[in-house]
Amino acid sequence: MKKILVFLTVMLMFSVKAQEKTLAPTPPMGFMTWNYFGVDFTENDIKTMADAMVANGLVDLGYNYMCIDDGWQGGRDNKNNIIADPKKFPSGVKALADYLHSKGIKLGMYSDAAPLTCAGYTASLGFEEQDAKTFASWGVDYLKYDYCGAPSDAETAKNRYKKMANALRKIGRDIVFAICEWGDRYPWEWASHSGGQLWRTTADVRDKWASYAPTNKDLHREGAGIFDIMNSNASLSGYAKKGAWNDPDMLVVGLYGKKGPSGDLGGKGCTDIEYQSQMSLWCLMAAPLMITCDIRTMNEPTRKILTNKDIIAIDQDKLGKQAKRVVYKDNWHVFLKPLANGDYAIGILNNADETRTYELKFGEIGLKGTYDIYNVWTKERESSLHFIKKQVKSHETLVFRISK
Ligand code: GLA
């Protein structure tokens, strides 16, 4: 009898577990306000950006979150409920959420595990349950939770994140929880246990290629470029899996040195080759894809980079593996990402200052035999090869999908 009871309990536990929903089964995609707007936006800006997401086909491609970053808050009311700035959101967040939802777009919001956010607005410490209820009542689907103004030790961070995650789970709405403490406390080791579906791994991205500062601490000071962030995030591939993602921060594609947060610390802008490289590297690394340029007025190269179905498919692949960096020498970086249907994605980045040729023999990276090769950017196909030999421009990342 006892044995049967134990057996039934275990079965029940398994079935409850099986029913548990994976909140971010693939890396979240969408638009985030920070780099383009800073704290300067209104509900109308959000709506017009959302309209452009629909009109440009981005929502159909999977970019289905509109994330409102810092600067939306208007303090607390006399019952301590957090409120949106009524000047920025005259119709209220609920009405905006309804608008977005009617277009197939989910709403992301932002808060911080301290009394004030990074930009000095009202945050959630001590109000976790109350704020979680408010967010749910508005129809929020994603919460980015920052760490400015909080103590530097990892224990406090783990506890504060867990507290908000628990509050979100308690209200029973599916709200993705995005941990943002910039990689300073090795969140890849604990963020999942603290209830996060993704966690920032580095200092804030700037609109530049690289500062080559050696540590994350230096990158905070000198500004982290696309290459710097890739270089840190690449070594964390073992921590990413379905529902738990390394977040190397937003896409700077299409910003071209715009003044604002990403324009600080040397963010003078990148070339289209470098922007395409960011998209390539982020997709190989199964990163969340948050666009931050002005979708309403984006130019053709930007549109092409952001809407390439084949590169997005690599990012969103159901297997949920982050590419491993399998070659890292002489300014060459080669990435290998296994895909759900047995194919592999391969990325080759040339980080030298001049165009060079690379020959990758598949045998060198543990792949046997020959493969059919599809270049996801040029759409060229080659069949039955046991190598890839290509010219790669400075800072360019070529991406191939190879299959048997
Ligand atoms: C921090 C985060 C950024 C952004 C700002 C907002 O710097 O890392 O991504 O959210 O705060 O103030």
Side-chain angles (χ1 to χ4, degrees):
M1 185 64 185
K2 205 174 159 198
K3 268 188 189 159
I4 294 172
L5 269 177
V6 171
F7 176 71
L8 286 175
T9 315
V10 170
M11 289 301 287
L12 190 68
M13 277 164 63
F14 268 122
S15 69
V16 168
K17 190 91 192 146
Q19 279 165 22
E20 257 177 34
K21 216 176 184 172
T22 306
L23 275 178
T26 59
M29 298 169 63
F31 176 87
M32 196 168 268
T33 52
W34 184 241
N35 288 338
Y36 187 75
F37 291 111
V39 297
D40 220 358
F41 52 82
T42 65
E43 65 181 34
N44 199 44
D45 293 319
I46 308 292
K47 280 182 167 179
T48 54
M49 202 61 87
D51 293 344
M53 277 165 79
V54 176
N56 284 291
L58 292 168
V59 179
D60 288 340
L61 285 164
Y63 293 98
N64 59 1
Y65 283 96
M66 167 57 74
C67 295
I68 303 177
D69 206 292
D70 210 351
W72 61 267
Q73 309 88 332
R76 293 188 181 276
D77 67 12
N78 57 10
K79 292 191 177 114
N80 274 330
N81 293 313
I82 195 160
I83 53 169
D85 181 338
K87 283 201 206 82
K88 291 177 177 171
F89 295 87
S91 319
V93 180
K94 171 85 175 74
L96 180 60
D98 290 345
Y99 182 83
L100 296 173
H101 290 157
S102 76
K103 310 230 158 212
I105 301 175
K106 299 176 193 177
L107 173 62
M109 301 285 285
Y110 165 99
S111 195
D112 187 295
L116 296 178
T117 66
C118 296
Y121 291 81
T122 302
S124 296
L125 184 69
F127 294 96
E128 291 83 356
E129 296 212 351
Q130 197 172 346
D131 289 358
K133 272 191 203 140
T134 304
F135 295 146
S137 75
W138 288 343
V140 170
D141 306 290
Y142 179 112
L143 180 67
K144 172 174 174 180
Y145 207 50
D146 219 331
Y147 203 65
C148 282
S152 60
D153 66 286
E155 270 326 290
T156 307
K158 287 177 199 174
N159 292 333
R160 289 192 183 187
Y161 279 109
K162 195 161 207 165
K163 192 145 190 219
M164 186 41 119
N166 288 345
L168 293 175
R169 294 309 145 242
K170 222 166 125 182
I171 41 155
R173 185 178 170 84
D174 290 345
I175 301 181
V176 169
F177 191 44
I179 289 180
C180 178
E181 61 73 77
W182 328 291
D184 290 337
R185 282 149 285 265
Y186 310 116
W188 41 91
E189 288 174 358
W190 52 262
S192 231
H193 301 291
S194 288
Q197 282 72 55
L198 57 157
W199 50 86
R200 281 274 304 278
T201 55
T202 69
D204 290 5
V205 67
R206 308 293 164 175
D207 187 7
K208 66 185 196 179
W209 180 249
S211 72
Y212 300 111
T215 67
N216 204 33
K217 203 169 162 200
D218 300 317
L219 286 173
H220 277 299
R221 205 182 44 240
E222 291 181 31
I226 293 168
F227 177 86
D228 303 311
I229 291 192
M230 174 284 289
N231 206 25
S232 303
N233 197 66
S235 58
L236 303 173
S237 61
Y239 295 96
K241 57 172 196 270
K242 214 173 175 155
W245 310 105
N246 289 314
D247 175 5
D249 207 6
M250 303 165 238
L251 295 173
V252 290
V253 179
L255 282 166
Y256 300 107
K258 185 191 181 302
K259 280 203 170 58
S262 58
D264 292 343
L265 300 178
K268 293 205 182 88
C270 298
T271 63
D272 288 329
I273 287 180
E274 292 167 337
Y275 287 141
Q276 185 168 303
S277 250
Q278 186 188 26
M279 185 72 180
S280 298
L281 295 163
W282 265 230
C283 290
L284 287 159
M285 296 191 299
L289 300 176
M290 290 295 167
I291 301 174
T292 62
C293 69
D294 190 351
I295 293 168
R296 300 165 300 191
T297 58
M298 65 184 168
N299 66 11
E300 193 50 20
T302 303
R303 200 193 58 75
K304 271 196 166 151
I305 293 169
L306 296 174
T307 60
N308 181 323
K309 274 190 184 151
D310 295 317
I311 195 75
I312 292 172
I314 289 171
D315 182 73
Q316 296 289 301
D317 186 77
K318 300 272 179 295
L319 196 59
K321 294 266 191 220
Q322 177 174 330
K324 266 199 190 131
R325 182 162 52 178
V326 288
V327 174
Y328 177 12
K329 60 163 198 228
D330 193 21
N331 273 327
W332 289 110
H333 300 254
V334 177
F335 297 85
L336 181 66
K337 183 185 199 294
L339 302 171
N341 70 346
D343 291 359
Y344 289 92
I346 290 180
I348 304 175
L349 162 65
N350 171 15
N351 196 40
D353 291 338
E354 65 287 328
T355 300
R356 298 183 297 167
T357 300
Y358 193 78
E359 179 169 5
L360 176 71
K361 296 198 177 85
F362 294 147
E364 285 168 18
I365 56 170
L367 301 179
K368 294 197 181 84
T370 60
Y371 284 84
D372 293 339
I373 297 165
Y374 176 60
N375 183 323
V376 307
W377 290 111
T378 66
K379 314 294 176 196
E380 284 162 320
R381 290 182 189 277
E382 292 167 282
S383 41
S384 302
L385 291 180
H386 58 272
F387 65 92
I388 293 172
K389 188 175 179 185
K390 295 284 172 212
Q391 273 204 344
V392 195
K393 296 190 187 100
S394 168
H395 299 178
E396 186 179 28
T397 305
L398 301 183
V399 183
F400 305 91
R401 185 171 181 129
I402 66 165
S403 46
K404 277 284 179 199

